[in-house]
Amino acid sequence: MNASPDTSVQALALRREAETAASALPPLLVAAEHLAATVQMGAHGRRRAGTGEEFWQYRPAHSGDEARFVDWRRSGRSDAQYVREREWQLAQSVHLWVDDAASMNFTGAETGRAARAPKSERARVLALALSVLMIRGGERVGLTGVAAPPRPGRAQLMALAALLSAPSGQQDYGTPQVAGVSAQSRAVFLSDFLGDLAPIESALGQLADRGVTGVMLQVLDPDEEAFPYDGRTIFQSMSGALVHETRKASDLRGRYQERLAQRRDALTRLAQSAGWQFSTHHTGDPAQSALLWLYGALGRGQG
């Protein structure tokens, strides 16, 4: 049966509207949803009823909190507004820290070789794909800072995509900000963890004191693992602040790999002492394997 002219025009208009809406989506969100679609979630995802409406704590209201969630009695005792959070909301909240430092922009891919994304791109896609899966499962996702407290829904995914698409920072190595992490919630750290470990240890200690469990995923380029350098080589940090030149780079390989292994052991111990889980992912490997590990590790960390 042939469609009438009116129906054809209507269909064309709907298609154009859909294409316009799709083109407005952040590229990062498109990539994340594609990655999330490759992961099996099981028959019904991870939606949980929670533990009821038992009161847990107050927190300062953030931009975007609906007025109906503000506790006006508590807010009336100060100049700030406070939101009353329930135990089930905290238990289903996940906070993300995605390292945006300059070191995350490294990729060892050379001209003429297969393209390989920088660490920052892989970490951001993994974080947002994990957010897609968690929100589909009825959970709330946000960042570890105060810019984006955990919320459910499609609008939150758009907000996270915009924040994670921001340009990288200028410092060589990143430091997690954990001021916005709620007690008894969960957290995810994605970084190369190649900088000073003291800020990482401090953040994990603060979160452990709040009863926060979580996972740490070290994202490395394969060249940072294999150290495939030989002869005269100039090593320079991504910000340009650190420079080291050697005439025989191969002589450094053994010492470098030993120190990398020691750092990984230290990160594993830090994670274990806080009740967290730790793993390493290489950008030359499929992203699906890292996403599956993150999703499963968060599930194992639940109470």
Side-chain angles (χ1 to χ4, degrees):
M1 182 173 67
N2 294 327
S4 67
D6 286 347
T7 304
S8 298
V9 170
Q10 202 172 36
L12 181 59
L14 285 172
R15 179 179 176 183
R16 286 175 176 169
E17 184 178 349
E19 289 175 346
T20 300
S23 66
L25 290 175
L28 177 61
L29 181 56
V30 175
E33 291 191 319
H34 177 73
L35 174 58
T38 67
V39 174
Q40 295 294 327
M41 292 180 59
H44 302 290
R46 290 155 44 127
R47 187 179 297 274
R48 302 192 305 279
T51 55
E53 290 296 307
E54 182 181 349
F55 169 70
W56 191 270
Q57 69 175 21
Y58 292 109
R59 68 162 172 82
H62 300 296
S63 174
D65 284 328
E66 297 181 37
R68 62 193 178 96
F69 294 127
V70 174
D71 189 293
W72 297 108
R73 179 177 295 180
R74 171 63 182 85
S75 301
R77 299 202 300 267
S78 67
D79 294 331
Q81 293 182 348
Y82 288 87
V83 169
R84 185 181 178 94
E85 286 194 313
R86 308 289 183 175
E87 184 175 9
W88 69 268
Q89 291 176 317
L90 296 170
Q92 296 187 162
S93 294
V94 179
H95 301 260
L96 306 171
W97 174 60
V98 184
D99 191 347
D100 66 348
S103 68
M104 293 294 289
N105 293 327
F106 176 76
T107 175
E110 298 176 359
T111 303
R113 289 168 54 184
R116 189 161 68 229
K119 296 179 290 184
S120 58
E121 181 178 325
R122 177 60 60 86
R124 290 170 178 178
V125 170
L126 284 172
L128 199 55
L130 180 64
S131 301
V132 171
L133 294 178
M134 303 302 282
I135 285 176
R136 284 179 184 172
E139 305 193 42
R140 298 145 51 95
V141 184
L143 302 182
T144 58
V146 297
R151 294 192 182 95
R154 179 74 178 178
Q156 180 72 344
L157 286 176
M158 295 291 286
L160 292 175
L163 289 168
L164 292 175
S165 297
S168 298
Q170 299 300 311
Q171 74 278 14
D172 270 320
Y173 303 108
T175 299
Q177 302 298 318
V178 297
V181 181
S182 306
Q184 310 303 320
S185 61
R186 287 166 291 155
V188 178
F189 285 6
L190 295 103
S191 172
D192 55 17
F193 298 109
L194 294 179
D196 184 6
L197 291 185
I200 305 298
E201 183 175 10
S202 175
L204 289 175
Q206 293 177 55
L207 295 180
D209 289 343
R210 300 180 209 168
V212 176
T213 58
V215 297
M216 298 166 59
L217 183 66
Q218 183 182 42
V219 180
L220 295 179
D221 186 273
D223 284 5
E224 292 176 313
E225 189 78 44
F227 199 84
Y229 307 109
D230 199 1
R232 181 177 179 272
T233 306
I234 298 176
F235 297 99
Q236 180 174 300
S237 65
M238 297 301 294
S239 71
L242 303 173
V243 179
H244 176 74
E245 180 177 354
T246 179
R247 294 185 179 277
K248 296 185 68 176
S250 59
D251 288 351
L252 302 177
R253 186 173 299 120
R255 281 179 288 168
Y256 168 84
Q257 292 178 332
E258 180 180 357
R259 292 187 65 177
L260 183 62
Q262 291 172 349
R263 174 167 291 261
R264 190 168 293 146
D265 289 343
L267 287 164
T268 300
R269 289 194 298 272
L270 284 176
Q272 290 175 343
S273 66
W276 287 37
Q277 298 179 67
F278 172 81
S279 186
T280 299
H281 170 68
H282 299 119
T283 56
D285 296 334
Q288 290 91 336
S289 60
L291 181 57
L292 280 167
W293 181 83
L294 285 167
Y295 191 69
L298 276 181
R300 291 191 296 273
Q302 294 173 173

Tab-separated table of all heavy atoms in Angstrom, residues 163-191:
chain	number	residue	atom	x	y	z
A	163	LEU	N	30.329	17.675	31.070
A	163	LEU	CA	31.434	17.904	32.008
A	163	LEU	C	32.670	17.088	31.640
A	163	LEU	O	33.801	17.581	31.710
A	163	LEU	CB	30.984	17.556	33.429
A	163	LEU	CG	29.970	18.524	34.059
A	163	LEU	CD1	29.379	17.932	35.325
A	163	LEU	CD2	30.624	19.872	34.361
A	164	LEU	N	32.468	15.831	31.237
A	164	LEU	CA	33.605	14.972	30.902
A	164	LEU	C	34.228	15.342	29.553
A	164	LEU	O	35.348	14.908	29.252
A	164	LEU	CB	33.160	13.507	30.884
A	164	LEU	CG	32.769	12.924	32.245
A	164	LEU	CD1	32.221	11.507	32.078
A	164	LEU	CD2	33.964	12.915	33.192
A	165	SER	N	33.518	16.107	28.743
A	165	SER	CA	34.051	16.528	27.445
A	165	SER	C	34.888	17.803	27.548
A	165	SER	O	35.434	18.263	26.547
A	165	SER	CB	32.908	16.755	26.455
A	165	SER	OG	32.194	15.556	26.215
A	166	ALA	N	34.979	18.375	28.733
A	166	ALA	CA	35.739	19.616	28.919
A	166	ALA	C	37.219	19.378	28.627
A	166	ALA	O	37.718	18.260	28.757
A	166	ALA	CB	35.553	20.127	30.345
A	167	PRO	N	37.954	20.415	28.208
A	167	PRO	CA	39.385	20.274	27.929
A	167	PRO	C	40.159	19.783	29.146
A	167	PRO	O	39.756	20.035	30.291
A	167	PRO	CB	39.814	21.690	27.539
A	167	PRO	CG	38.550	22.364	27.090
A	167	PRO	CD	37.462	21.772	27.931
A	168	SER	N	41.266	19.108	28.893
A	168	SER	CA	42.104	18.596	29.982
A	168	SER	C	42.767	19.735	30.737
A	168	SER	O	42.916	20.852	30.230
A	168	SER	CB	43.178	17.658	29.429
A	168	SER	OG	42.599	16.547	28.798
A	169	GLY	N	43.188	19.426	31.957
A	169	GLY	CA	43.877	20.412	32.762
A	169	GLY	C	45.319	20.596	32.313
A	169	GLY	O	45.834	19.861	31.459
A	170	GLN	N	45.995	21.564	32.901
A	170	GLN	CA	47.372	21.889	32.520
A	170	GLN	C	48.406	21.175	33.377
A	170	GLN	O	49.557	21.029	32.969
A	170	GLN	CB	47.587	23.406	32.622
A	170	GLN	CG	46.692	24.216	31.708
A	170	GLN	CD	46.892	23.877	30.240
A	170	GLN	OE1	48.031	23.836	29.758
A	170	GLN	NE2	45.809	23.615	29.537
A	171	GLN	N	48.023	20.727	34.577
A	171	GLN	CA	48.983	20.070	35.451
A	171	GLN	C	49.322	18.688	34.893
A	171	GLN	O	48.528	18.067	34.201
A	171	GLN	CB	48.436	19.957	36.879
A	171	GLN	CG	47.341	18.915	37.084
A	171	GLN	CD	45.965	19.383	36.686
A	171	GLN	OE1	45.815	20.402	36.013
A	171	GLN	NE2	44.954	18.642	37.098
A	172	ASP	N	50.524	18.193	35.223
A	172	ASP	CA	50.963	16.896	34.699
A	172	ASP	C	50.119	15.758	35.239
A	172	ASP	O	49.729	14.855	34.493
A	172	ASP	CB	52.439	16.647	35.030
A	172	ASP	CG	53.362	17.178	33.938
A	172	ASP	OD1	53.020	17.016	32.756
A	172	ASP	OD2	54.404	17.757	34.280
A	173	TYR	N	49.828	15.759	36.547
A	173	TYR	CA	49.135	14.632	37.176
A	173	TYR	C	47.947	15.124	37.992
A	173	TYR	O	47.980	16.216	38.563
A	173	TYR	CB	50.105	13.839	38.055
A	173	TYR	CG	51.309	13.346	37.293
A	173	TYR	CD1	52.562	13.921	37.495
A	173	TYR	CD2	51.185	12.340	36.339
A	173	TYR	CE1	53.665	13.491	36.775
A	173	TYR	CE2	52.288	11.909	35.611
A	173	TYR	CZ	53.526	12.492	35.826
A	173	TYR	OH	54.606	12.074	35.106
A	174	GLY	N	46.917	14.303	38.050
A	174	GLY	CA	45.671	14.711	38.671
A	174	GLY	C	45.551	14.331	40.134
A	174	GLY	O	46.223	13.414	40.618
A	175	THR	N	44.676	15.050	40.840
A	175	THR	CA	44.368	14.798	42.239
A	175	THR	C	42.861	14.673	42.398
A	175	THR	O	42.129	15.569	41.971
A	175	THR	CB	44.865	15.958	43.131
A	175	THR	OG1	46.280	16.076	42.992
A	175	THR	CG2	44.514	15.703	44.581
A	176	PRO	N	42.368	13.588	42.979
A	176	PRO	CA	40.917	13.426	43.108
A	176	PRO	C	40.315	14.401	44.095
A	176	PRO	O	40.867	14.644	45.165
A	176	PRO	CB	40.768	11.979	43.604
A	176	PRO	CG	42.071	11.653	44.237
A	176	PRO	CD	43.110	12.428	43.495
A	177	GLN	N	39.172	14.977	43.719
A	177	GLN	CA	38.398	15.839	44.610
A	177	GLN	C	37.223	15.015	45.137
A	177	GLN	O	36.419	14.513	44.349
A	177	GLN	CB	37.894	17.071	43.852
A	177	GLN	CG	38.991	17.895	43.218
A	177	GLN	CD	39.959	18.472	44.239
A	177	GLN	OE1	39.535	18.947	45.295
A	177	GLN	NE2	41.242	18.439	43.933
A	178	VAL	N	37.112	14.868	46.442
A	178	VAL	CA	36.106	13.963	47.000
A	178	VAL	C	35.116	14.675	47.919
A	178	VAL	O	34.379	14.043	48.664
A	178	VAL	CB	36.783	12.801	47.758
A	178	VAL	CG1	37.623	11.962	46.810
A	178	VAL	CG2	37.647	13.311	48.921
A	179	ALA	N	35.056	16.002	47.819
A	179	ALA	CA	34.188	16.761	48.716
A	179	ALA	C	32.716	16.422	48.525
A	179	ALA	O	31.925	16.534	49.461
A	179	ALA	CB	34.405	18.259	48.503
A	180	GLY	N	32.338	16.025	47.322
A	180	GLY	CA	30.926	15.773	47.057
A	180	GLY	C	30.478	14.345	47.249
A	180	GLY	O	29.321	14.013	46.950
A	181	VAL	N	31.349	13.477	47.735
A	181	VAL	CA	31.005	12.055	47.863
A	181	VAL	C	30.200	11.812	49.143
A	181	VAL	O	30.642	12.147	50.239
A	181	VAL	CB	32.267	11.175	47.863
A	181	VAL	CG1	31.886	9.696	47.983
A	181	VAL	CG2	33.072	11.407	46.578
A	182	SER	N	29.025	11.217	48.995
A	182	SER	CA	28.147	10.949	50.123
A	182	SER	C	28.628	9.737	50.924
A	182	SER	O	29.206	8.802	50.366
A	182	SER	CB	26.719	10.670	49.634
A	182	SER	OG	26.263	11.715	48.810
A	183	ALA	N	28.362	9.749	52.209
A	183	ALA	CA	28.673	8.599	53.057
A	183	ALA	C	27.900	7.373	52.585
A	183	ALA	O	26.780	7.484	52.074
A	183	ALA	CB	28.322	8.909	54.507
A	184	GLN	N	28.532	6.204	52.729
A	184	GLN	CA	27.917	4.905	52.418
A	184	GLN	C	27.602	4.722	50.935
A	184	GLN	O	26.862	3.814	50.565
A	184	GLN	CB	26.630	4.705	53.237
A	184	GLN	CG	26.767	4.956	54.722
A	184	GLN	CD	27.833	4.092	55.372
A	184	GLN	OE1	27.968	2.920	55.043
A	184	GLN	NE2	28.603	4.664	56.286
A	185	SER	N	28.178	5.552	50.066
A	185	SER	CA	27.951	5.404	48.636
A	185	SER	C	29.112	4.634	48.012
A	185	SER	O	29.886	3.986	48.726
A	185	SER	CB	27.791	6.786	47.983
A	185	SER	OG	28.974	7.557	48.156
A	186	ARG	N	29.232	4.672	46.698
A	186	ARG	CA	30.330	4.006	45.999
A	186	ARG	C	31.038	5.007	45.087
A	186	ARG	O	30.451	6.009	44.683
A	186	ARG	CB	29.809	2.830	45.172
A	186	ARG	CG	29.392	1.626	46.011
A	186	ARG	CD	28.567	0.646	45.190
A	186	ARG	NE	27.274	1.212	44.871
A	186	ARG	CZ	26.528	0.864	43.827
A	186	ARG	NH1	26.975	-0.049	42.992
A	186	ARG	NH2	25.357	1.416	43.608
A	187	ALA	N	32.305	4.734	44.774
A	187	ALA	CA	33.086	5.652	43.950
A	187	ALA	C	33.937	4.878	42.953
A	187	ALA	O	34.278	3.714	43.176
A	187	ALA	CB	33.978	6.532	44.832
A	188	VAL	N	34.273	5.564	41.864
A	188	VAL	CA	35.102	4.979	40.806
A	188	VAL	C	36.189	5.979	40.451
A	188	VAL	O	35.889	7.139	40.147
A	188	VAL	CB	34.270	4.662	39.544
A	188	VAL	CG1	35.169	4.099	38.445
A	188	VAL	CG2	33.145	3.688	39.869
A	189	PHE	N	37.451	5.559	40.529
A	189	PHE	CA	38.591	6.382	40.131
A	189	PHE	C	39.175	5.818	38.836
A	189	PHE	O	39.530	4.639	38.777
A	189	PHE	CB	39.688	6.362	41.202
A	189	PHE	CG	39.400	7.183	42.431
A	189	PHE	CD1	38.173	7.804	42.626
A	189	PHE	CD2	40.379	7.324	43.412
A	189	PHE	CE1	37.919	8.549	43.769
A	189	PHE	CE2	40.134	8.072	44.559
A	189	PHE	CZ	38.903	8.685	44.739
A	190	LEU	N	39.294	6.659	37.807
A	190	LEU	CA	39.951	6.269	36.565
A	190	LEU	C	41.099	7.235	36.306
A	190	LEU	O	40.894	8.441	36.133
A	190	LEU	CB	38.982	6.290	35.385
A	190	LEU	CG	37.847	5.274	35.445
A	190	LEU	CD1	36.546	5.971	35.845
A	190	LEU	CD2	37.655	4.570	34.112
A	191	SER	N	42.323	6.703	36.270
A	191	SER	CA	43.519	7.532	36.146
A	191	SER	C	44.682	6.654	35.707
A	191	SER	O	44.593	5.421	35.749
A	191	SER	CB	43.830	8.194	37.492
A	191	SER	OG	45.073	8.869	37.472
